[in-house]
């Protein structure tokens, strides 16, 4: 079978299974999630064995240490997958929830029912745990999914897929509700993102280049997260202790994550007080500082930042720092250079906090909290399939609700339009 | 200035004005809407004069009577535009509304704030009143807009645009929050739908071919409404009077509208009772009936329907009728042939009503009510910019909420991630 025919077949099967799964009640879906968890626990040794094949192939192909680490399914990671399934099972079922049902002057009742999107295509890189996480969220939200992981993890993914199929079957749900693309041929991705008839939305998870390529090729809507150029603005009325704690946490808690701060903005009036303290703490952590002219005159460790720096997501122990006149310049800088992921203000000023919340156009906007909180678990979504920097449909961390939409329901008693 | 440069300039101006308008408080936006209404009332004679130029050009170009009618700005239509502006001013302002703000275990508060999308591009055909309706909805929802009406109505649109600019200026808002494309060159549309940097979403309003062309060309998300192949299913447990009233209203209340019924499905058990009654009433109204084999044997007026009929949005006094075994066959037919606009069941059976609501995958699903209710005003949205048959972002009638998105707001007191 050629790739096109194969992908069409997956699509047709997913559409059919999606109709079944959209009708499944919460108890059955939760039962499936727990049975998948049991199947994974039982298959521990087998999963490790299949994963070893991927690791060996990776080493033979000269994969770097960081990639090998991401690829590895340690017992702790298998345990985390099982735990994740149980957590998703424990979340409330969003499907079928009716909101705002009220009577209209005509006598009809109108409300909105939360419904699955249908079929989700997920394209990701080498972490095999994404296979389980994504399947769990799609299943709970009543969607079928087609999962295309990195070719480096094909053995691991196939073994995980077998556990998922086992759990679905044991719960009496169609196995084809979760399908893993069985070929490593790259053409499969090109086909998947054009299966308009069968796939309702594509969620790419991975680096910026993967996501840009998929967005350019897709004829299906894409829920995407490009990059996280996050800002913290320390206002003139900031509490110094809070400012230092937040600016340090936002940059140094973890470097390679999308919600880490990349640029620090500091009000001119407070810069001489706060920047030298911060610079010393950053120096202890080995963070390289790149500043505007004024920053460099206050902070001896800083080198001059270029225009390029304001546009850069370092994902590394590097920070760009700009001294601004006031909140207007800060908001203007953010709305110009930010990737609309997450921004925070540190201030004790009520009016400025209120302005920042309203005027900063990003998916998460914070007052006196670290940008590192921008995360599905921290927000109480339970789990996330990604963080959307788009404005339409889902913005910010995307959990179960982001995989659903709202249809109108109308109840009448023989009502006709006059 | 060439078209590309011109459209880039409109885009840049719109982005700038969008930032201003997104911050404007509700009072100022309402004031602008009322001042636009006053400007239109004052300019009545001038609007009629400019409209006459379009009508004369239309007649000279051999425009048909229906198109000329759509183009005409009668005093009643000008009055309706003014009334529409007042109604939008009276709607609650969705911008800035914060929902679900609650404490998380970490101590931060997390909620979602409703925010404008930014800049909306609206592409429509000859009705000049769309210029005012669309501008009002965009303005109230805090968005800037770029409006591209049909070239046939260019004089009318320019005159309306002048009134809008006057109202905006009088309320102290940037005139460029609403810009009408001043050229009739078709290339302007191609540029508009690719202004990714400056335009956040495109809303096409018009016939299916316009919308398909724009969707194919656009590199910006499109909120679209393709067609309305709406179904009514008369179940075996239907109340005959309600069934007849609804099936008649859904087809004959207006023919050329997207929420009119195009296909009637009837349960086999009730068909001999209900179809002959209905057929007579349809005959009185001059509705042509095209039926399946079983329908034709019950209804002498019916001719045989072809496969093509089940796929057709007639927008005319034609109805296709199919007799089905039960609700399963009805839902299966709907989920296969429907354009996912609006479907209704007529039944007194509680369990079947509940199933229909859950399992029919359309933007509006109704029990014992006419499909003609699928409309922003009837649903209480106040006004609509269109009816979306997409699943992502906005589904069904799109009012002010559909022109906004939700960003996360996080409130802390120096909180950092552990």
């Amino acid at each position: 079978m050629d790739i096109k025919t194969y992908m069409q077949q997956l699509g047709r099967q997913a559409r059919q299974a999606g109709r079944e799964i959209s009708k499944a009640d919460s108890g059955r879906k939760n039962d499936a999630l727990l049975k998948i968890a049991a199947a994974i626990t039982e298959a521990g040794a087998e999963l490790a064995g299949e994963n070893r094949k991927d690791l060996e192939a990776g080493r033979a192909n000269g994969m770097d240490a960081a990639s090998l680490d991401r690829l590895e399914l340690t017992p702790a990671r298998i345990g985390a997958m099982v735990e994740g399934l149980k957590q998703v099972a424990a979340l409330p079922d969003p499907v079928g929830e009716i909101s705002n049902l009220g009577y209209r002057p005509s006598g009809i009742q109108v409300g909105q029912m939360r419904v699955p999107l249908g079929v989700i295509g997920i394209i990701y890189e080498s972490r095999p745990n994404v296979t389980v996480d994504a399947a769990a969220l799609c299943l709970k939200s009543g969607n079928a999914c087609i999962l295309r992981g990195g070719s480096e993890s094909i053995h691991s993914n196939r073994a995980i897929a077998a556990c998922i199929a086992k759990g679905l079957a044991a719960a009496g749900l169609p196995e084809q509700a979760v399908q893993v693309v069985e070929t490593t041929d790259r053409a499969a991705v090109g086909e998947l993102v054009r299966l308009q008839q069968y796939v309702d939305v594509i969620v790419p998870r991975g680096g910026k280049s993967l996501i840009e390529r998929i967005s350019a090729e897709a004829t299906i809507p894409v829920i995407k997260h490009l990059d996280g150029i996050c800002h913290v603005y320390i206002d003139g009325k900031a509490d110094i202790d809070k400012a230092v704690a937040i600016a340090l946490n936002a940059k140094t808690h973890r470097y390679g994550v999308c919600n880490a701060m990349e640029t620090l903005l500091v009000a001119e009036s407070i810069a001489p007080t706060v920047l030298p303290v911060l610079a010393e703490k950053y120096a202890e952590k080995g963070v390289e500082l790149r500043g505007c002219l004024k920053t460099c005159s206050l902070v001896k460790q800083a080198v001059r930042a270029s225009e390029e720096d304001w546009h850069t997501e370092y994902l590394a122990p590097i920070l760009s720092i700009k001294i601004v006149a006031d909140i207007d310049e800060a908001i203007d800088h953010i709305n110009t250079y930010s990737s609309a992921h997450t921004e925070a203000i540190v201030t004790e000023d009520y009016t400025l906090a209120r302005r920042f919340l309203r005027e900063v156009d990003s998916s998460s906007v914070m007052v006196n909290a670290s940008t590192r909180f921008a995360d599905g678990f921290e927000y109480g979504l339970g789990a996330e399939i990604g963080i959307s920097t788009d404005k339409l449909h889902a913005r910010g961390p995307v959990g179960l609700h982001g995989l659903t939409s709202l249809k109108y329901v109308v109840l009448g008693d023989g009502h006709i339009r006059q």
Side-chain angles (χ1 to χ4, degrees), chain A:
Chain A
M1 197 186 311
D2 67 9
I3 296 282
K4 193 185 177 75
T5 312
Y6 170 66
M7 293 305 294
Q8 290 272 339
Q9 181 187 305
L10 289 192
R12 218 167 20 247
Q13 290 170 173
R15 178 63 77 210
Q16 186 54 42
R19 286 190 181 159
E20 292 304 310
I21 208 96
S22 75
K23 293 188 278 187
D25 60 34
S26 313
R28 193 178 288 271
K29 291 187 290 188
N30 292 341
D31 187 36
L33 289 165
L34 298 177
K35 288 196 161 122
I36 294 168
I40 286 175
T41 306
E42 274 170 37
E46 204 185 314
L47 284 183
E50 292 300 306
N51 184 238
R52 220 170 295 124
K53 293 184 193 168
D54 288 331
L55 289 170
E56 279 159 19
R59 274 187 216 102
N61 291 327
M63 193 182 265
D64 64 48
S67 303
L68 284 169
D69 176 61
R70 277 197 295 273
L71 184 53
E72 192 174 359
L73 278 179
T74 61
R77 283 180 183 168
I78 293 176
M81 294 195 308
V82 168
E83 196 44 46
L85 284 159
K86 290 178 183 168
Q87 282 177 7
V88 173
L91 290 173
D93 187 346
V95 178
E97 191 183 277
I98 295 180
S99 52
N100 303 317
L101 185 67
Y103 281 93
R104 297 288 312 146
S106 62
I108 59 173
Q109 280 169 286
V110 179
Q112 287 181 291
M113 181 190 278
R114 197 167 279 286
V115 291
L117 293 175
V119 176
I120 321 274
I122 298 175
I123 299 163
Y124 50 103
E125 292 175 336
S126 55
R127 290 180 199 270
N129 62 307
V130 174
T131 307
V132 166
D133 296 350
L137 286 171
C138 290
L139 180 53
K140 181 82 184 208
S141 55
N143 293 290
C145 60
I146 300 177
L147 306 174
R148 179 31 155 98
S151 54
E152 320 78 48
S153 49
I154 185 73
H155 293 96
S156 313
N157 288 339
R158 280 188 195 140
I160 293 172
C163 297
I164 295 172
K166 203 170 154 187
L168 285 166
L173 289 175
E175 293 181 26
Q176 290 157 339
V178 179
Q179 296 178 100
V180 166
V181 176
E182 293 274 352
T183 167
T184 57
D185 191 324
R186 280 185 166 268
V189 172
E191 293 296 330
L192 179 55
V193 301
R194 290 164 184 276
L195 280 177
Q196 285 129 289
Q197 203 185 340
Y198 301 121
V199 180
D200 297 291
V201 64
I202 295 287
V203 182
R205 290 188 54 160
K208 192 174 176 179
S209 69
L210 171 83
I211 293 167
E212 283 181 335
R213 203 174 61 238
I214 284 166
S215 303
E217 280 180 33
T219 56
I220 297 169
V222 177
I223 295 179
K224 63 180 176 293
H225 155 198
L226 281 174
D227 47 8
I229 305 178
C230 301
H231 297 73
V232 172
Y233 167 55
I234 301 177
D235 173 58
K237 298 278 178 57
D239 174 288
I240 299 287
D241 292 341
K242 292 178 193 172
V244 170
I246 289 170
L248 205 66
N249 185 261
K251 181 70 230 177
T252 70
H253 185 253
R254 277 181 70 187
Y255 295 109
V257 291
C258 60
N259 57 14
M261 166 178 63
E262 304 293 8
T263 299
L264 176 66
L265 304 171
V266 184
E268 198 155 18
S269 59
I270 207 171
T273 321
V274 77
L275 270 185
V277 183
L278 261 175
E280 219 162 286
K281 294 192 183 274
Y282 283 131
E284 283 167 23
K285 301 266 186 185
V287 176
E288 177 189 335
L289 304 181
R290 303 188 186 172
C292 65
L293 192 59
K294 287 176 184 165
T295 300
C296 291
S297 75
L298 276 176
V299 175
K300 61 177 189 307
Q301 297 95 329
V303 299
R304 275 304 297 281
S306 67
E307 171 69 15
E308 187 57 24
D309 280 296
W310 314 122
H311 288 286
T312 301
E313 183 185 27
Y314 300 114
L315 297 172
I318 306 172
L319 177 69
S320 54
I321 304 177
K322 186 174 186 187
I323 292 176
V324 295
D326 53 20
I327 194 174
D328 291 303
E329 194 183 342
I331 293 177
D332 198 50
H333 181 97
I334 290 171
N335 285 342
T336 305
Y337 293 100
S338 162
S339 63
H341 190 297
T342 300
E343 335 291 340
I345 186 174
V346 186
T347 190
E348 297 301 311
D349 186 293
Y350 167 81
T351 301
L352 295 188
R354 204 162 164 258
R355 270 195 64 197
F356 193 86
L357 286 177
R358 169 109 185 218
E359 296 179 21
V360 169
D361 187 22
S362 295
S363 77
S364 288
V365 187
M366 305 183 166
V367 179
N368 292 345
S370 167
T371 56
R372 286 283 293 128
F373 282 110
D375 170 296
F377 280 101
E378 292 293 337
Y379 284 3
L381 309 182
E384 65 182 35
I385 200 134
I387 295 183
S388 165
T389 51
D390 287 332
K391 286 184 172 182
L392 289 187
H393 187 65
R395 205 172 179 190
V398 181
L400 293 175
H401 275 204
L403 299 178
T404 62
S405 72
L406 295 169
K407 73 180 178 192
Y408 281 94
V409 294
V410 175
L411 307 179
D413 192 28
H415 288 80
I416 58 171
R417 182 104 176 252
Q418 300 303 325

